[in-house]
Amino acid sequence: MNDTKRAFRHTILSPGYHLFSRYDLKNLRWRKSERAKKRKNIALPLASMVDIFAILVIFLILNFSTTGEVSFVNKNIQLPQALNAQTFRSFPLIVVTRKGVFLDEERTETLSELQERLREIQVLKEKTDPKNSFRGRVNLQADKNTPMIKVKKVMKALVAEGWTEIYFATRAR
Amino acid sequence: MARRYSAELNLTPFIALFALLVGALLLTGVWGQLGALVSSPAPVLDANSSESQEERVQLSVTVFDNELKMFEGQGQIDVPDIDKKINKDLLLKELRRWRQFHPERKEVVLYTGNRTPYHRMLAVLDILIGEGWSDVGVSAQQ
């Protein structure tokens, strides 16, 4: 045996790393080695994270608006869309749904109750803001498939109390 | 021998600022833009009053479930729907004809059928406002 080994000592090598060099995982081998253990400072690659943040910030700045949504849309209603809508402004909000008529998110049982509460709002407005005369402006939200008879009943009650400037809420197209 | 300097930027405050900005912008973002179409009070015309006898022609549009009717004084034009949608081309054509005859007018009265869906009324109101008829009175007459 020893004779054989001696005879082929230039061709028989002690076993080393077994994978072919073509498929060698040099980086893995390096990490497993002692050299990698010595290096303690591991830096996270933050460039991609900064990129994501930058894109997010730009997108959100583009979506930012100081006007528009000043009231919540009832989840049970789907507003119609309009091309020529004005900016939505803050006036008393009347919502016509299947469950009834709501004034500023509080349900009114009858139209006379709605009128009563509108009178209270009018009195309050005249007391708190006597310089500006009452113009009877009100926002109205209704589902796009609501029959007009329901809307007209509410409108009639509004007009009877002097709330004649009705702003029909729409989704901007 | 030249000293080696670390050329890496300290990104921690940068990321902290971005995180704050993202949070603030998410909270204040407007995700659904609301608008409003305004209607003026509709004039109530009494057939016996002297106003209705004046030369001033009343322009009105009545919105039904499947058609529109446009009234110019005594004249009437029907605008039937196409594929269950408002015939916008014909409506615009007639509105532009009205504009030729009444260039100074801005008021139109909008009537609706009781069972007409709300979105049809708003679609016509939107078209009227877009065509410069800014003083549209929506009638509450049932």
mmCIF file of all heavy atoms in Angstrom, chain A residues 50 53 63-64 67-69 79-80 82-84 86 142-144 146 148-149 152 155 166 168-172, chain B residues 14 18 25 28 30-39 112-114 116-119 122 126 130 138 141-142:
data_model
loop_
_atom_site.group_PDB
_atom_site.id
_atom_site.type_symbol
_atom_site.label_atom_id
_atom_site.label_comp_id
_atom_site.label_asym_id
_atom_site.label_seq_id
_atom_site.Cartn_x
_atom_site.Cartn_y
_atom_site.Cartn_z
ATOM 1 N N VAL A 50 -34.800 53.071 1.192
ATOM 2 C CA VAL A 50 -34.926 54.522 0.971
ATOM 3 C C VAL A 50 -35.682 54.783 -0.327
ATOM 4 O O VAL A 50 -36.524 55.686 -0.405
ATOM 5 C CB VAL A 50 -33.521 55.182 0.966
ATOM 6 C CG1 VAL A 50 -33.606 56.633 0.556
ATOM 7 C CG2 VAL A 50 -32.885 55.055 2.333
ATOM 8 N N PHE A 53 -39.388 54.274 0.344
ATOM 9 C CA PHE A 53 -39.913 55.403 1.115
ATOM 10 C C PHE A 53 -40.091 56.636 0.229
ATOM 11 O O PHE A 53 -41.089 57.342 0.317
ATOM 12 C CB PHE A 53 -38.987 55.724 2.278
ATOM 13 C CG PHE A 53 -39.360 55.011 3.546
ATOM 14 C CD1 PHE A 53 -38.433 54.259 4.241
ATOM 15 C CD2 PHE A 53 -40.644 55.088 4.069
ATOM 16 C CE1 PHE A 53 -38.765 53.596 5.419
ATOM 17 C CE2 PHE A 53 -40.982 54.429 5.233
ATOM 18 C CZ PHE A 53 -40.055 53.683 5.915
ATOM 19 N N ASN A 63 -51.344 62.768 -3.632
ATOM 20 C CA ASN A 63 -52.721 62.545 -3.200
ATOM 21 C C ASN A 63 -53.199 63.562 -2.181
ATOM 22 O O ASN A 63 -54.373 63.612 -1.868
ATOM 23 C CB ASN A 63 -52.845 61.156 -2.555
ATOM 24 C CG ASN A 63 -53.346 60.144 -3.540
ATOM 25 O OD1 ASN A 63 -53.954 60.501 -4.537
ATOM 26 N ND2 ASN A 63 -53.070 58.900 -3.282
ATOM 27 N N PHE A 64 -52.290 64.349 -1.665
ATOM 28 C CA PHE A 64 -52.646 65.280 -0.596
ATOM 29 C C PHE A 64 -53.530 66.391 -1.142
ATOM 30 O O PHE A 64 -53.321 66.897 -2.237
ATOM 31 C CB PHE A 64 -51.368 65.870 0.007
ATOM 32 C CG PHE A 64 -51.611 66.765 1.175
ATOM 33 C CD1 PHE A 64 -51.887 66.235 2.414
ATOM 34 C CD2 PHE A 64 -51.588 68.144 1.033
ATOM 35 C CE1 PHE A 64 -52.121 67.058 3.499
ATOM 36 C CE2 PHE A 64 -51.827 68.969 2.108
ATOM 37 C CZ PHE A 64 -52.089 68.425 3.346
ATOM 38 N N THR A 67 -58.615 70.435 0.316
ATOM 39 C CA THR A 67 -60.061 70.577 0.202
ATOM 40 C C THR A 67 -60.656 69.220 -0.151
ATOM 41 O O THR A 67 -59.945 68.286 -0.437
ATOM 42 C CB THR A 67 -60.426 71.568 -0.926
ATOM 43 O OG1 THR A 67 -59.846 71.086 -2.123
ATOM 44 C CG2 THR A 67 -59.939 72.953 -0.622
ATOM 45 N N GLY A 68 -61.967 69.151 -0.193
ATOM 46 C CA GLY A 68 -62.609 67.922 -0.653
ATOM 47 C C GLY A 68 -63.400 67.250 0.430
ATOM 48 O O GLY A 68 -64.512 67.645 0.719
ATOM 49 N N GLU A 69 -62.806 66.254 1.044
ATOM 50 C CA GLU A 69 -63.554 65.402 1.970
ATOM 51 C C GLU A 69 -63.702 66.081 3.322
ATOM 52 O O GLU A 69 -62.799 66.022 4.152
ATOM 53 C CB GLU A 69 -62.821 64.076 2.129
ATOM 54 C CG GLU A 69 -63.623 63.042 2.850
ATOM 55 C CD GLU A 69 -64.241 62.051 1.899
ATOM 56 O OE1 GLU A 69 -64.411 62.382 0.730
ATOM 57 O OE2 GLU A 69 -64.560 60.964 2.336
ATOM 58 N N LEU A 79 -72.498 57.216 -4.014
ATOM 59 C CA LEU A 79 -72.783 58.520 -4.605
ATOM 60 C C LEU A 79 -72.620 58.483 -6.124
ATOM 61 O O LEU A 79 -71.732 57.789 -6.631
ATOM 62 C CB LEU A 79 -71.838 59.572 -4.033
ATOM 63 C CG LEU A 79 -72.010 59.941 -2.562
ATOM 64 C CD1 LEU A 79 -70.950 60.945 -2.146
ATOM 65 C CD2 LEU A 79 -73.382 60.534 -2.305
ATOM 66 N N PRO A 80 -73.452 59.233 -6.833
ATOM 67 C CA PRO A 80 -73.259 59.326 -8.293
ATOM 68 C C PRO A 80 -72.007 60.156 -8.605
ATOM 69 O O PRO A 80 -71.544 60.903 -7.754
ATOM 70 C CB PRO A 80 -74.517 60.051 -8.778
ATOM 71 C CG PRO A 80 -75.358 60.288 -7.613
ATOM 72 C CD PRO A 80 -74.589 60.015 -6.377
ATOM 73 N N ALA A 82 -69.931 63.006 -11.027
ATOM 74 C CA ALA A 82 -70.220 64.199 -11.827
ATOM 75 C C ALA A 82 -68.916 64.821 -12.301
ATOM 76 O O ALA A 82 -67.891 64.739 -11.611
ATOM 77 C CB ALA A 82 -71.002 65.198 -11.007
ATOM 78 N N LEU A 83 -68.986 65.424 -13.478
ATOM 79 C CA LEU A 83 -67.794 66.055 -14.060
ATOM 80 C C LEU A 83 -67.650 67.515 -13.645
ATOM 81 O O LEU A 83 -66.554 68.015 -13.500
ATOM 82 C CB LEU A 83 -67.885 66.005 -15.594
ATOM 83 C CG LEU A 83 -67.392 64.750 -16.297
ATOM 84 C CD1 LEU A 83 -67.682 64.848 -17.776
ATOM 85 C CD2 LEU A 83 -65.907 64.571 -16.077
ATOM 86 N N ASN A 84 -68.787 68.187 -13.485
ATOM 87 C CA ASN A 84 -68.754 69.632 -13.279
ATOM 88 C C ASN A 84 -69.091 70.036 -11.850
ATOM 89 O O ASN A 84 -69.680 71.085 -11.619
ATOM 90 C CB ASN A 84 -69.731 70.298 -14.259
ATOM 91 C CG ASN A 84 -69.397 69.957 -15.686
ATOM 92 O OD1 ASN A 84 -68.338 70.325 -16.174
ATOM 93 N ND2 ASN A 84 -70.267 69.226 -16.361
ATOM 94 N N GLN A 86 -68.705 71.284 -7.980
ATOM 95 C CA GLN A 86 -67.907 72.258 -7.239
ATOM 96 C C GLN A 86 -67.217 71.553 -6.080
ATOM 97 O O GLN A 86 -67.500 70.396 -5.794
ATOM 98 C CB GLN A 86 -68.828 73.320 -6.611
ATOM 99 C CG GLN A 86 -69.645 74.110 -7.571
ATOM 100 C CD GLN A 86 -70.536 75.108 -6.826
ATOM 101 O OE1 GLN A 86 -70.448 75.250 -5.622
ATOM 102 N NE2 GLN A 86 -71.403 75.774 -7.560
ATOM 103 N N ALA A 142 -77.414 61.121 -1.275
ATOM 104 C CA ALA A 142 -78.363 60.014 -1.459
ATOM 105 C C ALA A 142 -77.706 58.973 -2.349
ATOM 106 O O ALA A 142 -76.814 59.296 -3.151
ATOM 107 C CB ALA A 142 -79.654 60.521 -2.099
ATOM 108 N N ASP A 143 -78.160 57.743 -2.192
ATOM 109 C CA ASP A 143 -77.641 56.675 -3.041
ATOM 110 C C ASP A 143 -78.057 56.926 -4.486
ATOM 111 O O ASP A 143 -79.130 57.479 -4.747
ATOM 112 C CB ASP A 143 -78.193 55.327 -2.569
ATOM 113 C CG ASP A 143 -77.564 54.184 -3.340
ATOM 114 O OD1 ASP A 143 -76.453 53.791 -2.973
ATOM 115 O OD2 ASP A 143 -78.185 53.706 -4.315
ATOM 116 N N LYS A 144 -77.225 56.522 -5.415
ATOM 117 C CA LYS A 144 -77.487 56.846 -6.822
ATOM 118 C C LYS A 144 -78.770 56.211 -7.355
ATOM 119 O O LYS A 144 -79.350 56.707 -8.313
ATOM 120 C CB LYS A 144 -76.299 56.482 -7.695
ATOM 121 C CG LYS A 144 -75.967 55.020 -7.784
ATOM 122 C CD LYS A 144 -74.771 54.844 -8.690
ATOM 123 C CE LYS A 144 -74.569 53.392 -9.040
ATOM 124 N NZ LYS A 144 -73.464 53.214 -9.975
ATOM 125 N N THR A 146 -81.583 55.808 -5.530
ATOM 126 C CA THR A 146 -82.742 56.245 -4.745
ATOM 127 C C THR A 146 -83.811 56.825 -5.672
ATOM 128 O O THR A 146 -83.489 57.647 -6.534
ATOM 129 C CB THR A 146 -82.311 57.336 -3.737
ATOM 130 O OG1 THR A 146 -81.192 56.867 -3.014
ATOM 131 C CG2 THR A 146 -83.432 57.700 -2.788
ATOM 132 N N MET A 148 -86.485 59.316 -6.984
ATOM 133 C CA MET A 148 -86.527 60.763 -6.770
ATOM 134 C C MET A 148 -87.641 61.193 -5.813
ATOM 135 O O MET A 148 -87.543 62.243 -5.192
ATOM 136 C CB MET A 148 -86.689 61.490 -8.113
ATOM 137 C CG MET A 148 -85.398 61.769 -8.828
ATOM 138 S SD MET A 148 -84.160 62.672 -7.876
ATOM 139 C CE MET A 148 -84.918 64.267 -7.692
ATOM 140 N N ILE A 149 -88.677 60.361 -5.675
ATOM 141 C CA ILE A 149 -89.783 60.747 -4.781
ATOM 142 C C ILE A 149 -89.269 60.961 -3.354
ATOM 143 O O ILE A 149 -89.676 61.905 -2.665
ATOM 144 C CB ILE A 149 -90.937 59.690 -4.834
ATOM 145 C CG1 ILE A 149 -92.126 60.099 -3.959
ATOM 146 C CG2 ILE A 149 -90.481 58.308 -4.449
ATOM 147 C CD1 ILE A 149 -93.005 61.113 -4.566
ATOM 148 N N LYS A 152 -87.272 64.164 -3.316
ATOM 149 C CA LYS A 152 -88.129 65.345 -3.469
ATOM 150 C C LYS A 152 -88.894 65.667 -2.186
ATOM 151 O O LYS A 152 -89.116 66.829 -1.869
ATOM 152 C CB LYS A 152 -89.101 65.131 -4.638
ATOM 153 C CG LYS A 152 -88.408 65.297 -5.994
ATOM 154 C CD LYS A 152 -89.368 65.489 -7.124
ATOM 155 C CE LYS A 152 -89.979 64.214 -7.591
ATOM 156 N NZ LYS A 152 -90.769 64.371 -8.832
ATOM 157 N N MET A 155 -86.453 67.461 -0.155
ATOM 158 C CA MET A 155 -86.228 68.793 -0.736
ATOM 159 C C MET A 155 -87.380 69.737 -0.425
ATOM 160 O O MET A 155 -87.187 70.909 -0.110
ATOM 161 C CB MET A 155 -86.060 68.676 -2.258
ATOM 162 C CG MET A 155 -84.709 68.168 -2.700
ATOM 163 S SD MET A 155 -84.648 67.888 -4.473
ATOM 164 C CE MET A 155 -84.801 69.546 -5.094
ATOM 165 N N ILE A 166 -79.465 73.884 -2.401
ATOM 166 C CA ILE A 166 -79.156 72.486 -2.069
ATOM 167 C C ILE A 166 -77.944 72.028 -2.870
ATOM 168 O O ILE A 166 -77.917 72.134 -4.096
ATOM 169 C CB ILE A 166 -80.374 71.581 -2.338
ATOM 170 C CG1 ILE A 166 -81.567 72.065 -1.502
ATOM 171 C CG2 ILE A 166 -80.065 70.126 -2.012
ATOM 172 C CD1 ILE A 166 -82.884 71.429 -1.862
ATOM 173 N N PHE A 168 -75.989 68.915 -4.001
ATOM 174 C CA PHE A 168 -76.071 67.463 -4.143
ATOM 175 C C PHE A 168 -74.656 66.889 -4.178
ATOM 176 O O PHE A 168 -73.880 67.207 -5.089
ATOM 177 C CB PHE A 168 -76.801 67.092 -5.433
ATOM 178 C CG PHE A 168 -78.218 67.581 -5.478
ATOM 179 C CD1 PHE A 168 -78.561 68.705 -6.208
ATOM 180 C CD2 PHE A 168 -79.224 66.904 -4.790
ATOM 181 C CE1 PHE A 168 -79.868 69.162 -6.256
ATOM 182 C CE2 PHE A 168 -80.538 67.359 -4.839
ATOM 183 C CZ PHE A 168 -80.847 68.491 -5.566
ATOM 184 N N ALA A 169 -74.355 66.072 -3.183
ATOM 185 C CA ALA A 169 -72.989 65.519 -3.091
ATOM 186 C C ALA A 169 -72.749 64.499 -4.188
ATOM 187 O O ALA A 169 -73.616 63.681 -4.493
ATOM 188 C CB ALA A 169 -72.787 64.882 -1.732
ATOM 189 N N THR A 170 -71.583 64.573 -4.789
ATOM 190 C CA THR A 170 -71.202 63.631 -5.852
ATOM 191 C C THR A 170 -69.759 63.199 -5.635
ATOM 192 O O THR A 170 -69.008 63.846 -4.893
ATOM 193 C CB THR A 170 -71.280 64.291 -7.237
ATOM 194 O OG1 THR A 170 -70.395 65.409 -7.257
ATOM 195 C CG2 THR A 170 -72.675 64.734 -7.588
ATOM 196 N N ARG A 171 -69.424 62.144 -6.302
ATOM 197 C CA ARG A 171 -68.013 61.738 -6.362
ATOM 198 C C ARG A 171 -67.392 62.415 -7.569
ATOM 199 O O ARG A 171 -68.000 62.416 -8.643
ATOM 200 C CB ARG A 171 -67.892 60.216 -6.546
ATOM 201 C CG ARG A 171 -68.127 59.457 -5.289
ATOM 202 C CD ARG A 171 -66.815 59.009 -4.670
ATOM 203 N NE ARG A 171 -67.083 58.450 -3.346
ATOM 204 C CZ ARG A 171 -66.498 58.849 -2.239
ATOM 205 N NH1 ARG A 171 -65.608 59.806 -2.264
ATOM 206 N NH2 ARG A 171 -66.784 58.301 -1.083
ATOM 207 N N ALA A 172 -66.204 62.955 -7.377
ATOM 208 C CA ALA A 172 -65.515 63.559 -8.519
ATOM 209 C C ALA A 172 -65.094 62.455 -9.479
ATOM 210 O O ALA A 172 -64.653 61.399 -9.054
ATOM 211 C CB ALA A 172 -64.301 64.333 -8.038
ATOM 212 N N PHE B 14 -32.511 60.037 7.879
ATOM 213 C CA PHE B 14 -33.212 60.148 6.599
ATOM 214 C C PHE B 14 -34.438 59.219 6.579
ATOM 215 O O PHE B 14 -35.546 59.609 6.220
ATOM 216 C CB PHE B 14 -32.208 59.763 5.512
ATOM 217 C CG PHE B 14 -32.602 60.148 4.121
ATOM 218 C CD1 PHE B 14 -32.954 61.454 3.814
ATOM 219 C CD2 PHE B 14 -32.591 59.210 3.104
ATOM 220 C CE1 PHE B 14 -33.300 61.799 2.529
ATOM 221 C CE2 PHE B 14 -32.935 59.552 1.820
ATOM 222 C CZ PHE B 14 -33.288 60.859 1.536
ATOM 223 N N PHE B 18 -38.497 60.060 6.633
ATOM 224 C CA PHE B 18 -39.390 59.477 5.630
ATOM 225 C C PHE B 18 -40.538 58.722 6.297
ATOM 226 O O PHE B 18 -41.684 58.820 5.876
ATOM 227 C CB PHE B 18 -38.613 58.543 4.709
ATOM 228 C CG PHE B 18 -38.116 59.216 3.461
ATOM 229 C CD1 PHE B 18 -38.306 60.565 3.247
ATOM 230 C CD2 PHE B 18 -37.470 58.481 2.483
ATOM 231 C CE1 PHE B 18 -37.855 61.174 2.104
ATOM 232 C CE2 PHE B 18 -37.014 59.088 1.315
ATOM 233 C CZ PHE B 18 -37.202 60.440 1.142
ATOM 234 N N LEU B 25 -48.705 61.745 6.030
ATOM 235 C CA LEU B 25 -49.426 61.853 4.754
ATOM 236 C C LEU B 25 -50.524 60.806 4.626
ATOM 237 O O LEU B 25 -51.565 61.069 4.026
ATOM 238 C CB LEU B 25 -48.454 61.756 3.576
ATOM 239 C CG LEU B 25 -47.516 62.961 3.416
ATOM 240 C CD1 LEU B 25 -46.421 62.656 2.423
ATOM 241 C CD2 LEU B 25 -48.287 64.184 2.991
ATOM 242 N N THR B 28 -53.491 62.171 6.611
ATOM 243 C CA THR B 28 -54.167 63.352 6.061
ATOM 244 C C THR B 28 -54.576 63.175 4.598
ATOM 245 O O THR B 28 -55.126 64.098 4.016
ATOM 246 C CB THR B 28 -53.250 64.588 6.163
ATOM 247 O OG1 THR B 28 -52.027 64.282 5.507
ATOM 248 C CG2 THR B 28 -52.974 64.970 7.602
ATOM 249 N N VAL B 30 -56.463 62.361 1.165
ATOM 250 C CA VAL B 30 -57.867 62.387 0.733
ATOM 251 C C VAL B 30 -58.038 61.268 -0.275
ATOM 252 O O VAL B 30 -57.531 61.336 -1.383
ATOM 253 C CB VAL B 30 -58.232 63.751 0.102
ATOM 254 C CG1 VAL B 30 -59.666 63.762 -0.373
ATOM 255 C CG2 VAL B 30 -58.020 64.852 1.112
ATOM 256 N N TRP B 31 -58.753 60.239 0.118
ATOM 257 C CA TRP B 31 -58.855 59.056 -0.732
ATOM 258 C C TRP B 31 -60.083 59.088 -1.633
ATOM 259 O O TRP B 31 -60.124 58.431 -2.649
ATOM 260 C CB TRP B 31 -58.831 57.794 0.121
ATOM 261 C CG TRP B 31 -57.632 57.782 0.977
ATOM 262 C CD1 TRP B 31 -57.587 57.946 2.330
ATOM 263 C CD2 TRP B 31 -56.265 57.661 0.552
ATOM 264 N NE1 TRP B 31 -56.275 57.921 2.761
ATOM 265 C CE2 TRP B 31 -55.453 57.751 1.701
ATOM 266 C CE3 TRP B 31 -55.650 57.500 -0.681
ATOM 267 C CZ2 TRP B 31 -54.075 57.669 1.647
ATOM 268 C CZ3 TRP B 31 -54.272 57.417 -0.733
ATOM 269 C CH2 TRP B 31 -53.501 57.499 0.417
ATOM 270 N N GLY B 32 -61.096 59.810 -1.228
ATOM 271 C CA GLY B 32 -62.284 59.930 -2.088
ATOM 272 C C GLY B 32 -62.680 61.383 -2.179
ATOM 273 O O GLY B 32 -63.116 61.977 -1.196
ATOM 274 N N GLN B 33 -62.486 61.962 -3.333
ATOM 275 C CA GLN B 33 -62.771 63.386 -3.491
ATOM 276 C C GLN B 33 -64.268 63.603 -3.681
ATOM 277 O O GLN B 33 -64.864 63.002 -4.565
ATOM 278 C CB GLN B 33 -62.003 63.920 -4.704
ATOM 279 C CG GLN B 33 -61.971 65.412 -4.802
ATOM 280 C CD GLN B 33 -60.946 66.049 -3.868
ATOM 281 O OE1 GLN B 33 -59.963 65.431 -3.538
ATOM 282 N NE2 GLN B 33 -61.209 67.255 -3.441
ATOM 283 N N LEU B 34 -64.838 64.437 -2.820
ATOM 284 C CA LEU B 34 -66.263 64.744 -2.948
ATOM 285 C C LEU B 34 -66.446 66.057 -3.681
ATOM 286 O O LEU B 34 -65.625 66.957 -3.571
ATOM 287 C CB LEU B 34 -66.901 64.866 -1.561
ATOM 288 C CG LEU B 34 -67.232 63.598 -0.798
ATOM 289 C CD1 LEU B 34 -67.987 63.944 0.465
ATOM 290 C CD2 LEU B 34 -68.066 62.669 -1.641
ATOM 291 N N GLY B 35 -67.519 66.156 -4.400
ATOM 292 C CA GLY B 35 -67.891 67.398 -5.048
ATOM 293 C C GLY B 35 -69.361 67.643 -4.811
ATOM 294 O O GLY B 35 -70.027 66.861 -4.130
ATOM 295 N N ALA B 36 -69.870 68.726 -5.353
ATOM 296 C CA ALA B 36 -71.298 69.014 -5.172
ATOM 297 C C ALA B 36 -71.835 69.745 -6.386
ATOM 298 O O ALA B 36 -71.149 70.587 -6.971
ATOM 299 C CB ALA B 36 -71.508 69.838 -3.920
ATOM 300 N N LEU B 37 -73.056 69.400 -6.755
ATOM 301 C CA LEU B 37 -73.765 70.125 -7.820
ATOM 302 C C LEU B 37 -74.859 70.929 -7.137
ATOM 303 O O LEU B 37 -75.663 70.373 -6.400
ATOM 304 C CB LEU B 37 -74.380 69.137 -8.813
ATOM 305 C CG LEU B 37 -73.413 68.320 -9.666
ATOM 306 C CD1 LEU B 37 -74.163 67.263 -10.454
ATOM 307 C CD2 LEU B 37 -72.633 69.213 -10.616
ATOM 308 N N VAL B 38 -74.825 72.214 -7.366
ATOM 309 C CA VAL B 38 -75.763 73.077 -6.640
ATOM 310 C C VAL B 38 -77.012 73.338 -7.471
ATOM 311 O O VAL B 38 -76.957 73.478 -8.685
ATOM 312 C CB VAL B 38 -75.081 74.398 -6.216
ATOM 313 C CG1 VAL B 38 -74.661 75.219 -7.394
ATOM 314 C CG2 VAL B 38 -75.968 75.200 -5.285
ATOM 315 N N SER B 39 -78.136 73.364 -6.778
ATOM 316 C CA SER B 39 -79.390 73.711 -7.453
ATOM 317 C C SER B 39 -79.972 74.944 -6.790
ATOM 318 O O SER B 39 -79.873 75.119 -5.580
ATOM 319 C CB SER B 39 -80.382 72.558 -7.353
ATOM 320 O OG SER B 39 -81.087 72.637 -6.135
ATOM 321 N N THR B 112 -88.521 66.036 -12.385
ATOM 322 C CA THR B 112 -88.205 64.597 -12.411
ATOM 323 C C THR B 112 -89.462 63.781 -12.149
ATOM 324 O O THR B 112 -90.366 64.222 -11.418
ATOM 325 C CB THR B 112 -87.181 64.235 -11.313
ATOM 326 O OG1 THR B 112 -87.623 64.776 -10.077
ATOM 327 C CG2 THR B 112 -85.801 64.739 -11.630
ATOM 328 N N GLY B 113 -89.475 62.585 -12.711
ATOM 329 C CA GLY B 113 -90.543 61.643 -12.387
ATOM 330 C C GLY B 113 -90.313 61.093 -10.990
ATOM 331 O O GLY B 113 -89.183 61.102 -10.491
ATOM 332 N N ASN B 114 -91.372 60.604 -10.368
ATOM 333 C CA ASN B 114 -91.228 60.141 -8.978
ATOM 334 C C ASN B 114 -90.340 58.907 -8.851
ATOM 335 O O ASN B 114 -89.673 58.721 -7.855
ATOM 336 C CB ASN B 114 -92.604 59.840 -8.384
ATOM 337 C CG ASN B 114 -93.362 61.125 -8.088
ATOM 338 O OD1 ASN B 114 -92.764 62.199 -8.038
ATOM 339 N ND2 ASN B 114 -94.667 61.029 -7.904
ATOM 340 N N THR B 116 -87.965 58.082 -10.999
ATOM 341 C CA THR B 116 -86.670 58.277 -11.680
ATOM 342 C C THR B 116 -85.525 58.112 -10.677
ATOM 343 O O THR B 116 -85.575 58.674 -9.589
ATOM 344 C CB THR B 116 -86.609 59.712 -12.266
ATOM 345 O OG1 THR B 116 -87.744 59.897 -13.091
ATOM 346 C CG2 THR B 116 -85.346 59.939 -13.060
ATOM 347 N N PRO B 117 -84.517 57.325 -11.027
ATOM 348 C CA PRO B 117 -83.378 57.206 -10.095
ATOM 349 C C PRO B 117 -82.645 58.541 -9.946
ATOM 350 O O PRO B 117 -82.530 59.310 -10.900
ATOM 351 C CB PRO B 117 -82.469 56.159 -10.744
ATOM 352 C CG PRO B 117 -83.276 55.518 -11.805
ATOM 353 C CD PRO B 117 -84.332 56.482 -12.215
ATOM 354 N N TYR B 118 -82.141 58.740 -8.763
ATOM 355 C CA TYR B 118 -81.447 59.985 -8.400
ATOM 356 C C TYR B 118 -80.272 60.290 -9.341
ATOM 357 O O TYR B 118 -80.039 61.422 -9.725
ATOM 358 C CB TYR B 118 -80.974 59.804 -6.948
ATOM 359 C CG TYR B 118 -80.152 60.901 -6.351
ATOM 360 C CD1 TYR B 118 -80.647 62.191 -6.190
ATOM 361 C CD2 TYR B 118 -78.850 60.648 -5.885
ATOM 362 C CE1 TYR B 118 -79.894 63.180 -5.608
ATOM 363 C CE2 TYR B 118 -78.091 61.633 -5.296
ATOM 364 C CZ TYR B 118 -78.614 62.900 -5.162
ATOM 365 O OH TYR B 118 -77.850 63.873 -4.588
ATOM 366 N N HIS B 119 -79.548 59.219 -9.758
ATOM 367 C CA HIS B 119 -78.344 59.460 -10.577
ATOM 368 C C HIS B 119 -78.692 60.023 -11.940
ATOM 369 O O HIS B 119 -77.898 60.758 -12.535
ATOM 370 C CB HIS B 119 -77.515 58.180 -10.708
ATOM 371 C CG HIS B 119 -78.127 57.104 -11.533
ATOM 372 N ND1 HIS B 119 -77.946 57.021 -12.880
ATOM 373 C CD2 HIS B 119 -78.934 56.073 -11.206
ATOM 374 C CE1 HIS B 119 -78.603 55.983 -13.350
ATOM 375 N NE2 HIS B 119 -79.211 55.382 -12.357
ATOM 376 N N LEU B 122 -79.080 63.733 -11.482
ATOM 377 C CA LEU B 122 -77.767 64.378 -11.316
ATOM 378 C C LEU B 122 -76.968 64.393 -12.614
ATOM 379 O O LEU B 122 -76.224 65.338 -12.867
ATOM 380 C CB LEU B 122 -76.972 63.670 -10.229
ATOM 381 C CG LEU B 122 -77.250 64.095 -8.784
ATOM 382 C CD1 LEU B 122 -76.188 63.559 -7.860
ATOM 383 C CD2 LEU B 122 -77.340 65.597 -8.619
ATOM 384 N N ASP B 126 -75.633 67.724 -14.191
ATOM 385 C CA ASP B 126 -74.199 67.842 -14.489
ATOM 386 C C ASP B 126 -73.991 68.357 -15.920
ATOM 387 O O ASP B 126 -73.185 69.262 -16.154
ATOM 388 C CB ASP B 126 -73.556 66.454 -14.310
ATOM 389 C CG ASP B 126 -72.048 66.501 -14.332
ATOM 390 O OD1 ASP B 126 -71.486 67.562 -13.998
ATOM 391 O OD2 ASP B 126 -71.427 65.483 -14.672
ATOM 392 N N GLY B 130 -72.447 71.929 -17.037
ATOM 393 C CA GLY B 130 -71.294 71.893 -17.940
ATOM 394 C C GLY B 130 -71.507 72.705 -19.200
ATOM 395 O O GLY B 130 -70.554 73.205 -19.789
ATOM 396 N N VAL B 138 -83.981 72.699 -9.328
ATOM 397 C CA VAL B 138 -84.546 71.350 -9.313
ATOM 398 C C VAL B 138 -85.882 71.415 -8.602
ATOM 399 O O VAL B 138 -85.958 71.827 -7.443
ATOM 400 C CB VAL B 138 -83.604 70.358 -8.603
ATOM 401 C CG1 VAL B 138 -84.206 68.965 -8.582
ATOM 402 C CG2 VAL B 138 -82.257 70.324 -9.295
ATOM 403 N N GLN B 141 -91.555 69.278 -6.922
ATOM 404 C CA GLN B 141 -92.958 68.948 -7.200
ATOM 405 C C GLN B 141 -93.117 67.440 -7.399
ATOM 406 O O GLN B 141 -92.381 66.841 -8.173
ATOM 407 C CB GLN B 141 -93.369 69.691 -8.473
ATOM 408 C CG GLN B 141 -94.850 69.774 -8.700
ATOM 409 C CD GLN B 141 -95.140 70.523 -9.996
ATOM 410 O OE1 GLN B 141 -94.433 71.452 -10.350
ATOM 411 N NE2 GLN B 141 -96.165 70.104 -10.694
ATOM 412 N N GLN B 142 -94.094 66.852 -6.669
ATOM 413 C CA GLN B 142 -94.263 65.388 -6.744
ATOM 414 C C GLN B 142 -95.397 65.006 -7.685
ATOM 415 O O GLN B 142 -96.337 65.726 -7.838
ATOM 416 C CB GLN B 142 -94.551 64.835 -5.359
ATOM 417 C CG GLN B 142 -93.340 64.962 -4.441
ATOM 418 C CD GLN B 142 -93.678 64.732 -2.995
ATOM 419 O OE1 GLN B 142 -94.549 63.949 -2.675
ATOM 420 N NE2 GLN B 142 -93.005 65.441 -2.118
#
